[in-house]
Amino acid sequence: MQADLSMLKNVGLEHFLIVSAILFSLGIYAVVTRKNAIMVLMGIELILNSANINFIAFSKYSTAELSGHLAAIFVIILAAAEAAIAIAIVLNIYKNFLTVNIDEIDNLKR
Amino acid sequence: MQILGIGILTWIVFLPVVAMLLVLLVPKGRETWIKWISVVATGIQVILAVVMLLNYRYDLAGVNTLEGFQFVEKYRWIDVSGVAWFGRIVIEYFLGVDGLSMPMVVLTALISFIGAIASWELPKTKGYYSLYLLLDTGMMGVFVALDFFLFYVFWEVMLLPMYFLIGIWGGPRREYAAIKFFIYTLLGSVLMLLVMIGLYFSTSIIDPVTGEKIHTFNMLAMMDPRNYEPGSIFSGLHTTWRYIAYIALFIGFAIKVPIVPFHTWLPDAHVEAPTPISVILAGVLLKMGTYGMLRISFPIFPDGMVKYALPMAILGFINIVYGALAAMAQEDFKKLIAYSSISHMGYVVLGISALNTQGVTGGIMQMFNHGTITAMLFLIVGVLYDRAHTRGLDEFGGLANQMPKYFGIVIIAFFAALGLPGLSGFVSEAFVFLGAFQTYKWIAIFSATGVIITAGYILWTTQRLFLGQLPERWKNLPDINARELVTLVPLAIIVIFLGVYPSPLINLMNTSVNHLVRFVSEMGQAGVQLGILP
Amino acid sequence: MLNEFVKILLFLIISVFFVAGALIVNRFIRPHRPNTEKSTIYECGEEPVGNPWIRFNIRFYTVALIFLIFEVEVVFLFPWAVIYKELGLFAFIEMVVFLLILILGYVYAWAKADLEWDKPRPRYLEVSKLKESFMESKSEKVEI
Amino acid sequence: MPEILNMLIASVIPLLFILVYAVVILWVEIKVASHVQDRLGYMYTGGFHGWAQPIADLLKLLTKEHITPANSDKILFTLAPFVVFAGSYAAYAALPFTSTFIAANLNVGIFYIIAITSFVVIGILMAGWSSNNKYSLFGAMRSVAQIVSYEIPTALSILTVVIVAGTLNLQEVCQVQKGGLFNWNIFKYPPFMLITFLIYFIASLAEVNRTPFDIPEAESELVAGYHTEYTGMKFAMFYLAEYANMFLVSGISAILFFGGWDSPFGEFLSGPAWGVFWFVSKGLFFVFLQIMLRWTLPRLRVDQLMYVSWKVLTPISFVNIMAVGLWAILK
Amino acid sequence: MTEQFVIELTQSLKNFLPEVSLTITLSLVILLDLIFGRKFKNIGAFISLAGLVVTLFFTVKQYGGNYQIFRGMFVVDPYSTFFKFVFIISALVIVIFSLQSYELKETSARRRTGEYYFLILSLTLGAFLMAGSVNLVMMYLSLELVSISSYILAGYIKESERSSEASMKYVIYGALSSGLMIYGISLIYGLTGELNIYALNASLLSTGYSPIVLMISLLLMLAGFGYKISAVPFHYWTPDVYEGAPITVTAFLSVSSKAAGFAMLIRFLKASFIDRTVTLGVEGAWAIIQGLPWTEIIAVLSALTMTVGNIIAIWQNNLKRMLAYSSIAHAGYILMGVVVAQNYGISAMLIYFIAYLFMNLGAFYCVMLVAEKTGSEDIEVYKGLGYRAPFLGVVFTIFLVSLTGIPPTFGFIGKLYLFSALINAKVIWLAVVGVLNSVISLYYYIRVVRNMFLRDPESEKASIAFSPAHIVVMLILVIPTLLFGVYFSPIVELAQNSVAMFGLR
């Protein structure tokens, strides 16, 4: 138990950065491999959140300023807005194409 | 010299544009008005050229001295006030003529006039003539512009009208020919653009008005090594960048000439273009390439010129022989003339690469003479094609009896083309060989074989067209008509006149050519010893 | 502060342990005799019909969207509210501007009947008809 | 070491409280229901008014078989009760039971509670989706739509309190209201804070899916909503979470508007121990109110539900917040 | 403290009037459209026009000022004001286009015109903010405002398959690259602890940095910028979106959104990654920060962008798609100005922007008119169009020639200045690539001209008539294209005076 707590106290910047890097990579992986538009969007959300973790971690560990937190709030909000728009667009795509598989939606390439 | 407060050069350059606007305003159904407006405008151009000739001072050299230019017009066109991090920007409206350009101005006026008459029968008159007149302005502007920027603008202004003129009024493969012409020429001119910009940043002069140091597009300033800013890209002589720039410029002009590896657009364009446009192409446009070399490449990059004179002479030789051989192989009359153009432009290249008075004089004379002769030849092809709707040489024969007047004119043109003494072609070719022989003995000797091949194909063509049995289907071929004669006879007179008495043309350019040759060769060899020049 | 959040982590862990514990205890004393009838899903005693994983009404999405807008707004308002009294009138004006812009969106959604649960008629026809209607969209007849 | 122990104890106390409270309130609810409907309810188990009935129920649930419906998403199906319960329980961490006891004294307490309770929404959706049952899915969707809609008025009314209190820390919110009945937020800026409270209270009813907003588990339409397919202990966990939520929102009402652990009589009967009493009794009062409402009001239709949230409560909240804001500065 | 804060803020607001007026306008559009939208279909358009004119007035008044407002969030300087002119003009023109657009009149979009103009204005507002923001978060926010508006605009015709496909592709690529960008921003923030680009630069210079991390974050941020300006590795969305979106939107995106991206990119690079302690001999040149050769990266990007854009454009038969690739190529040209790392390069880009504004909008307008009259954007319908609609043919030809960069058109002047900037900075290889690309581009531009004039109409031969309004719009766009091609001093002076960025030499 003692060990656990001290470990918690020793959490440093690197740990956050590693988490965020993992999250970022997962997001990229999702974007690259998924064919479902919603899944791709979720991958993008992961990327945004990894940036958020970075912001907060940097803000916490480097300076006393709050700018990193502020940035995170704005990113959250933008992520929300973007998700809203994206999902609306995907819905519309579904109405027109009856699928959300982005590989099948390629009328314009032809 | 001014007319109505506007310089004569401005008149001669922009008169066609005025005429073009008039043409555009002509109501529908009045095609004749359009034709007359155009012919009159180009006619006035000829008159203006003659006026200029009459007022021309033969003792002024020009080339790199402002005082040596005549009919100078120099105004600030673009004048952007300076900012801290970048100096004042000045582009001038700077026109003037000297011995190098005067023959070309006369030639352009003449050929444009004749082309306008020759275009009488073409359809879609309004579009045709407005583009034609725009083209005229571009050509004339190139020959009188002394500001590089202005030169470039005129150079490019020609492209689009030419594209349309070939593309709309041309033969069956007109689209291909037009786009090929356009792309080749644009490729050449963008290289020129880069060199121009480089030169602009390398030269700086003191602004006479404000005393500021300004960059300039003034060609004359670019010719003076003292104006080059130290450390700039083209400063000094015999530097790698200057050689690269010279080659780039050379390619740009060579495409227009055309010199052999860049010539493939020419047969297509000439063959597909309608007769008057072929006339313009061969009579004026090709000369721009060599004119550009004389006006820009040589004086601005004398070091490059001197270094690459030999390759250039070899290229000229290749042009002569290749063009002639290719012409020999042609079945199509017009294509034959096109290849003969390549061959004849080779003489020009050879002559000017010799860089002595005879050679350069010969080159310019050949430019003028080839302009008139080849114009005649294309008109001749046009006359035949209008009647027979074919240009296959093998389909004809025995026309001498059927079309005697035509035969007479053709013989003059043909013999002028093969360089028969007494006709203008001989004089210029003789000068070219005289000049070239002094510098590149063997190249000159080998090039002379070109004359023999030329004689071969010209005579063979004469035989195929006019001698032998007249095929049955050409029994009713009418002889040449009055309008066609009007276009051909003046050219024939000039050809004969200059063949017998070439002095007016030689005198016109003599001072300038001497100056140019001295200037370029001394500068080119002087290396870094600057300031030795007039 | 980190400590406080560790406490919350503790809360979460405890709650998970509690649920897990309850389920495990349950596992030892409950019977386990599944059969097909039992594991059939419950539809009031009838045989289940169709696939339950259906597309649901677009309304849910609209609600989510409007919620998102306001929730995001609330996120901004909380920090502002905390120091509201320190900032005084100025903060009030700023907030009014901010809220007005949001209220504009709210009014717009209201006026466009996006706050109604039951819209009078469906906004879209079926997909097949929709495509046809776009083809002949110039004819003005088909309401999309 | 003691630190850890302290923390551990502090975090178990609310659990014990919830368990006791749930058992009690189960009984109370049935009794209230019965009396409202003019009957007696539990009477036999354990003797006095069937006091042992809830315990018996609990034992019964413990011995019930788990049925996992065919074709369900097994992982989500099992995970859902965890999420739901964890969501509501973790919120207790920021509740100040008294002036000296608060498990996690967060400086963003109320914000944290708003955030952590969204877990419940996810849990409900998981449950509804994984059950492979139409009614469950409908119930879950409705529930989510409802919670999400009423989140706005809730958040806005909380915001009003934050303006008044100037802090997000729930302990400090209570501190601000210290000193008797008339220092409580409910009496400030009359009548705006009262309106705020009403909005909060109505919205909180919807947040915990209580009548008149119990559309998600409307028995007559949807069987039992999102937990139709749940049996045994898993079902019990949903139930427990629901009761925990009931007290949670009531407790927040008490804290935000009624002084939390503050004694209504100023210094009289105040102190940490009394604080627990006051807080719990205020909380239970609102729980009682919720139960009463359940048996007095009919259920709303879905469209009415949305109407109330979006077109009544939200605009009023906006006006309210501006009014309070303006008043707060002018004062 | 509060007092001072308020004073600062009111002061800032005074210098924020263009944005404020835009915001008010867009609110009015949505509100009045709700109230009067049923009776007056185009009320949104007219309010937008009025609002834009008012904004223009404020912007003109603002020109020349050079200060920062909102505590280092935003700057007003000639550079941003210049871009605001570009945005306003393009928005004005687009609103006029939209009034005439058949796509908006004949589909379900006609019932949502208020929203349409609202989005156009909000895109413009976002572009305004992009041009002026100097804080990374602010930059990201404004970029997203532009992006989100444009996602919706691209899919504005909901029932059209290609429109919705366009918007989906746009949103996916856009969201991804903005995600990469914000990750890059977070890394830079971690490296320096600053979000303001000036402070960031100072911190980089004073405390040192790891070039690798800086390089990674720059590359990530370039993803965001590159997507906005459709530079090559991030250009995949462009052809699809440009083809699928309504033409008015495509035209708007190709000018406003791209210009905004460039405005921000240049400011960001110039403010963040130059070494201001070093003074170079050449006036107006910037010293690149140690260990981060971003000019080379941009140079490669630029060469790739124009080459890929031009070469793929050759195969396109849909005019909108062709113009999309051409706009990619133009992004490559404009990027050349960044490579120079001199004020001269920026001024060249600014000149090019004005040229691009007129010629590109003009080209899209012509495509729109033709698509309206013939129902297709395919190159086939252009056959013989020069004879069916001579005026349009000539005007379109002028625009295409200008896009190629042949004198005497404005496009040539733009290219001239870009190439001269490169040669002045001795980046000659790129200049050569650039001019060769101009030659390549000629091929596909002239293909359209060829179809219009060198071919005869195939089926339909009737001549096409245009209303005076159409002709006026064409003239408004074609006259500057020609006039500034021969007399460009005012534009050059404007551009030269507009390179001044706040706090930078």
Side-chain angles (χ1 to χ4, degrees), chain E residues 271-288:
Chain E
S272 313
F273 298 138
I274 61 169
D275 194 341
R276 270 182 278 169
T277 55
V278 178
T279 41
L280 291 181
V282 188
E283 197 129 22
W286 334 321
I288 307 303

Side-chain angles (χ1 to χ4, degrees), chain B residues 240-455:
Chain B
T240 317
W241 277 118
R242 281 180 73 87
Y243 291 148
I244 292 172
Y246 177 76
I247 292 170
L249 264 187
F250 182 77
I251 293 173
F253 293 130
I255 288 173
K256 203 87 179 184
V257 173
I259 292 174
V260 154
F262 312 107
H263 70 289
T264 55
W265 64 270
L266 183 129
D268 288 310
H270 278 61
V271 170
E272 298 306 326
T275 303
I277 299 307
S278 300
V279 169
I280 295 278
L281 261 176
V284 182
L285 252 69
L286 304 192
K287 276 74 205 172
M288 284 180 182
T290 40
Y291 173 77
M293 289 179 192
L294 287 171
R295 169 66 67 214
I296 294 171
S297 296
F298 289 8
I300 295 180
F301 296 104
D303 44 345
M305 170 17 189
V306 169
K307 187 176 167 73
Y308 294 111
L310 181 63
M312 188 173 159
I314 293 170
L315 283 174
F317 157 70
I318 294 172
N319 243 37
I320 295 169
V321 176
Y322 171 85
L325 285 173
M328 201 157 216
Q330 297 309 317
E331 289 297 307
D332 184 319
F333 193 7
K334 208 169 182 183
K335 218 163 192 170
L336 183 140
I337 307 295
Y339 276 106
S340 87
S341 272
I342 296 177
S343 176
H344 283 124
M345 288 311 287
Y347 292 112
V348 182
V349 175
L350 182 65
I352 60 178
S353 71
L355 200 62
N356 50 32
T357 311
Q358 289 91 334
V360 176
T361 309
I364 300 176
M365 275 175 73
Q366 173 72 355
M367 280 154 72
F368 188 88
N369 290 337
H370 175 249
T372 46
I373 296 167
T374 207
M376 275 182 83
L377 289 172
F378 277 112
L379 287 169
I380 284 163
V381 177
V383 168
L384 191 60
Y385 184 73
D386 282 348
R387 285 163 177 70
H389 299 289
T390 178
R391 295 184 299 247
L393 287 170
D394 288 339
E395 297 175 37
F396 296 99
L399 285 176
N401 291 331
Q402 181 69 26
M403 305 166 74
K405 276 187 271 178
Y406 180 63
F407 180 57
I409 296 281
V410 171
I411 286 301
I412 295 171
F414 272 16
F415 285 172
L418 69 75
L420 198 73
L423 293 172
S424 63
F426 170 74
V427 184
S428 47
E429 281 173 29
F431 267 93
V432 165
F433 284 122
L434 266 176
F437 193 78
Q438 292 173 21
T439 324
Y440 314 110
K441 200 167 163 188
W442 289 105
I443 295 175
I445 289 167
F446 286 126
S447 300
T449 55
V451 180
I452 298 163
I453 305 169
T454 310

Side-chain angles (χ1 to χ4, degrees), chain E residues 158-170:
Chain E
K158 285 205 271 185
E159 67 273 22
S160 156
E161 276 187 13
R162 54 182 213 160
S163 182
S164 50
E165 179 180 342
S167 85
M168 192 194 72
K169 289 195 166 148
Y170 202 10

Side-chain angles (χ1 to χ4, degrees), chain B residues 77-80 89-91 149 153 217, chain E residues 351 409-410 412-414 416-417 482-495:
Chain B
W77 170 19
I78 301 294
D79 189 352
V80 179
I89 296 171
V90 175
I91 297 174
F149 187 84
V153 169
F217 282 112
Chain E
I351 295 168
T409 53
F410 201 3
F412 167 68
I413 305 304
L416 173 80
Y417 272 87
L482 283 177
L483 180 69
F484 293 139
V486 289
Y487 186 70
F488 45 93
S489 331
I491 299 296
V492 175
E493 291 210 4
L494 178 68

